[in-house]
Amino acid sequence: MDSQTSQSAQASQSPHPPHMFQVDLRGLVDLLSHHLYSSPKVYLRELLQNAVDAITARRGAEPEAPARVRLHADDGGLRVEDTGIGLTEADVHDLLATIGRSSKRAEGLQEARSDFLGQFGIGLLACFVVAERIRVVSRSARTPGAPPVEWTARDDGSYTVRTLPDSARPEPGTTVHLTARPGAAEWLAPERVLALARDFGALLPYDVRVGEEPVTDLPAPWDRPYPSPSSRRVALARHCHELFGFTPLDSIDLDVPLAGIRGVAYVLPAAVSPAQRATHRVHLKGMLLTERAEQLLPDWAFFVRCVLDTDSLRPTASRESLYEDETLAAVREALGERIRSWLTGLAAGDPERLTAFLAVHHLGVKSLARHDRDMLRTMLPWLPFETTDGQLSLEEFAQRHPVVHFTRTVEEYRQVAPIASAQGVGVVNGGYTYDGDLVEALPSVRPGTVVAELDADTVTAHLDAVDPGEELALSGFLAAARAKLDPLGCDVVLRAFHPLSVPALHLDDRSARHEQARAAAEEQADDLWAGILGSLRGSAPRARLVLNHLNPLVRRIGSLKDPELIGTATESLYGQALLMAQRPLRPADSALLNRAFIGLLEWATHGEGDGR
């Protein structure tokens, strides 16, 4: 080659004057790293997305085109090679210089748009989160005669473009070179690149390798053939442990063909709070989109963690979460139906596994059954409830008792459970989450069942009345006891009931407690508010202290003649009944307990001093 020809060739390869991005690149990098992306690690996902999209675009025109992605990390840099469709010089300016332009808008790529994962332009510039320089060498497969083109950009916002000789890139495709930013070299280290590539790209449909190490692991664990259902269950349990760090109680196939969804839900081995946000792993066309998807399943399905691949759900701008739209709502309903079907299948064919599941996650199923009558009907024989007959299902409890009584709060249940059980009255504790609603819904799925909220009058009515003559003989004692507790808004009644060991029972309901709270507020209010609160005085029955005439202690107290000692003993019985009910004590109740305790000590010590 003569000197003139050599000089001409050098001129054709020399870079053009530097261009500037049509955006503040430093501001963009700050936006990406601090506001859009949760971690610098997403740079590798963007590179993989660009490579996969390029291969998809080429295969749209050349179905037999090679489909390879190779990553090479060394010396503080990273090189990513793909056999995709490549770029011409015009593409480079169009796609890499103007933020917001998408490679899917380029001529000839529109027909494959639905198969793409991301946007080439902004996706590549996102690599500035970890790189100070990006160099791209690409050759177009759509324009075979076009020479390779080199695009080199720096984080100061400048870039250059030049054409290269054919030998620089003989085959179509693209190679991206990253040079690490100061302090970011760890993100381009070989071990980190391999780990990230496997995390993001394990389900990609093409041959992806880091050096010689394979990245893809297909088919997905839920799509692989297994010799038996048990071996499949073991393999999926291993997969769950690798992904989420726990061994599941069971696995549920998630297959929604119309939404292009395949995956699996893993049942947590321990109970979790319904308020805890469940997070799931979602792959979009094989690429990991997010491992923190929160709105994928209905709220009631908080007892599972799932991993799936989809080709229909829309990602947000950061491609780290799902866009809330009608498609996601339909998918959420369909996935919920899969979990419901799994539950009904267990109820019909595997009661032992269902019992083991409900022992841990009955709260989630109750949440579902509260809104789904079919699920309530299916789960009725299995869901456990606390009752005066022990832990029973509502079906079994309703078979034992003509009237299903229930309480609204745990405190109310604790008040009446021992007494009701001894009197043969069946009571369900409706104070736990969802339980009261489910008991009230029982007649809708079990026609003819009578459900009634248990109140103080119902309990008192089931207690045996005392012989009128004996009650008359105790009238003086009862009058003194009623006078003592009247300021506390509590009546005193005498009944005979079992167990004998319970001397007194404190009964009230919500209306009575509201009235007590109103009266206490009225006492402490000024004249204006006292008048207003007084006008709100209700006619609800007051709380009552039911004395057990069969209890020996009550009989001895009833024989006392000293009014002061009767008052102290009555206050003691009242305080003991409150403590047995495990109810929160008002300041007046605490003062009464203290006064009664001191009064009994004074009476006991006074008796010793008198030589009695």
Side-chain angles (χ1 to χ4, degrees):
M1 180 183 297
D2 57 28
S3 61
Q4 184 176 359
T5 304
S6 176
Q7 291 174 0
S8 176
Q10 291 176 2
S12 67
Q13 298 177 28
S14 62
H16 298 289
H19 305 275
M20 297 301 294
F21 289 104
Q22 297 176 34
V23 71
D24 178 5
L25 186 58
R26 293 185 186 276
L28 173 66
V29 172
D30 179 73
L31 174 66
L32 294 176
S33 59
H34 294 98
H35 302 285
L36 188 62
Y37 294 134
S38 61
S39 166
K41 70 180 183 180
V42 298
Y43 87 92
L44 192 67
R45 183 194 64 196
E46 301 295 342
L47 289 174
L48 288 175
Q49 283 182 347
N50 288 339
V52 169
D53 283 347
I55 293 173
T56 301
R58 184 176 180 185
R59 283 202 155 186
E62 304 175 51
E64 301 302 321
R68 296 189 305 273
V69 180
R70 297 290 183 266
L71 297 89
H72 304 276
D74 51 39
D75 299 329
L78 176 65
R79 185 173 82 256
V80 181
E81 303 173 349
D82 69 66
T83 58
I85 197 165
L87 302 171
T88 63
E89 183 174 353
D91 292 336
V92 167
H93 284 290
D94 189 41
L95 302 178
L96 301 182
T98 304
I99 301 305
R101 292 285 183 89
S102 168
S103 58
K104 272 61 76 182
R105 298 191 182 99
E107 182 182 357
L109 305 185
Q110 184 72 28
E111 65 275 8
R113 186 173 183 179
S114 64
D115 293 326
F116 290 136
L117 298 171
Q119 290 185 320
F120 186 84
I122 194 170
L124 185 60
L125 293 184
C127 293
F128 278 120
V129 172
V130 298
E132 66 176 1
R133 186 169 73 98
I134 302 174
R135 176 172 170 259
V136 177
V137 177
S138 187
R139 183 163 191 162
S140 175
R142 289 185 295 112
T143 312
V149 60
E150 177 191 73
W151 175 86
T152 304
R154 296 184 177 276
D155 59 3
D156 61 3
S158 66
Y159 72 94
T160 60
V161 179
R162 66 171 183 166
T163 57
L164 300 177
D166 290 345
S167 60
R169 178 91 198 188
E171 300 294 331
T174 300
T175 302
V176 179
H177 304 259
L178 300 187
T179 302
R181 297 168 62 90
E186 62 173 303
W187 292 104
L188 275 64
E191 298 81 6
R192 178 65 67 88
V193 169
L194 178 59
L196 292 178
R198 285 177 171 170
D199 195 37
F200 285 120
L203 301 184
L204 289 175
Y206 304 133
D207 179 15
V208 183
R209 296 175 183 268
V210 176
E212 298 300 322
E213 294 291 335
V215 167
T216 54
D217 186 20
L218 295 175
W222 50 85
D223 286 330
R224 295 172 189 169
Y226 296 95
S228 65
S230 60
S231 61
R232 184 177 191 271
R233 190 176 297 119
V234 170
L236 290 178
R238 186 184 308 113
H239 176 247
C240 175
H241 195 274
E242 293 172 355
L243 282 186
F244 298 111
F246 66 85
T247 300
L249 283 178
D250 206 347
S251 57
I252 308 168
D253 285 324
L254 302 178
D255 184 8
V256 186
L258 293 178
I261 286 178
R262 288 283 297 162
V264 62
Y266 294 116
V267 181
L268 291 165
V272 294
S273 168
Q276 179 178 332
R277 282 290 185 182
T279 55
H280 313 285
R281 289 175 65 94
V282 178
H283 295 256
L284 180 62
K285 302 181 182 72
M287 180 73 72
L288 177 66
L289 177 70
T290 178
E291 51 192 351
R292 297 190 305 275
E294 294 185 348
Q295 305 298 331
L296 190 63
L297 297 181
D299 291 340
W300 55 261
F302 55 82
F303 51 83
V304 300
R305 298 291 181 269
C306 71
V307 53
L308 55 82
D309 188 24
T310 176
D311 59 16
S312 65
L313 299 179
R314 290 174 55 195
T316 57
S318 66
R319 293 193 289 283
E320 294 191 282
S321 58
L322 297 172
Y323 187 79
E324 185 68 47
D325 58 9
E326 293 181 357
T327 302
L328 180 57
V331 166
R332 184 162 48 237
E333 182 177 349
L335 295 180
E337 182 57 36
R338 294 296 182 275
I339 298 175
R340 272 194 292 265
S341 298
W342 171 77
L343 284 170
T344 55
L346 288 186
D350 200 339
E352 290 186 3
R353 285 172 64 197
L354 179 63
T355 301
F357 166 76
L358 290 177
V360 179
H361 295 298
H362 59 272
L363 196 60
V365 181
K366 286 180 177 180
S367 173
L368 170 60
R370 185 175 60 140
H371 302 290
D372 190 321
R373 292 291 179 267
D374 290 337
M375 182 56 61
L376 177 58
R377 183 179 293 105
T378 301
M379 293 290 107
L380 197 60
W382 307 102
L383 287 174
F385 289 79
E386 182 180 2
T387 78
T388 49
D389 293 351
Q391 287 285 116
L392 293 177
S393 70
L394 289 181
E395 175 68 29
E396 187 175 358
F397 187 82
Q399 291 175 358
R400 296 185 181 186
H401 299 278
V403 178
V404 178
H405 292 288
F406 74 100
T407 62
R408 291 283 183 185
T409 68
V410 175
E411 290 79 9
E412 290 173 354
Y413 178 79
R414 288 170 178 166
Q415 287 183 62
V416 302
I419 309 303
S421 179
Q423 302 303 125
V425 179
V427 183
V428 179
N429 184 355
Y432 295 119
T433 306
Y434 310 128
D435 284 10
D437 294 338
L438 291 175
V439 175
E440 287 188 296
L442 186 57
S444 67
V445 297
R446 196 178 189 275
T449 304
V450 179
V451 173
E453 183 176 352
L454 190 69
D455 55 23
D457 288 335
T458 303
V459 176
T460 305
H462 280 82
L463 303 181
D464 295 334
V466 177
D467 180 85
E470 294 185 28
E471 187 167 2
L472 181 63
L474 296 173
S475 59
F477 163 75
L478 292 175
R482 287 167 182 150
K484 195 67 176 178
L485 296 186
D486 184 68
L488 296 174
C490 183
D491 292 332
V492 178
V493 297
L494 186 67
R495 292 289 187 274
F497 56 87
H498 293 274
L500 301 180
S501 58
V502 178
L505 178 66
H506 182 269
L507 295 177
D508 64 0
D509 52 29
R510 284 176 296 168
S511 298
R513 289 195 292 276
H514 291 166
E515 176 61 20
Q516 286 179 341
R518 186 209 58 78
E522 182 180 355
E523 290 179 2
Q524 300 176 6
D526 56 28
D527 292 341
L528 173 61
W529 282 107
I532 295 174
L533 291 170
S535 68
L536 299 177
R537 182 180 293 109
S539 58
R542 304 204 304 170
R544 65 196 66 177
L545 181 68
V546 184
L547 301 179
N548 187 1
H549 187 56
L550 301 181
N551 180 267
L553 176 62
V554 172
R555 286 179 173 272
R556 289 197 296 270
I557 293 175
S559 64
L560 295 174
K561 303 302 181 184
D562 184 346
E564 183 177 348
L565 185 54
I566 290 175
T568 300
T570 301
E571 288 181 334
S572 299
L573 290 174
Y574 175 82
Q576 189 262 354
L578 284 179
L579 294 176
M580 282 188 61
Q582 302 183 37
R583 290 283 308 281
L585 299 180
R586 298 172 297 166
D589 297 329
S590 298
L592 176 145
L593 280 171
N594 183 65
R595 184 171 62 249
F597 178 71
I598 297 299
L600 290 176
L601 285 179
E602 288 181 347
W603 182 82
T605 55
H606 177 73
E608 289 183 2
D610 285 349
R612 291 185 292 179

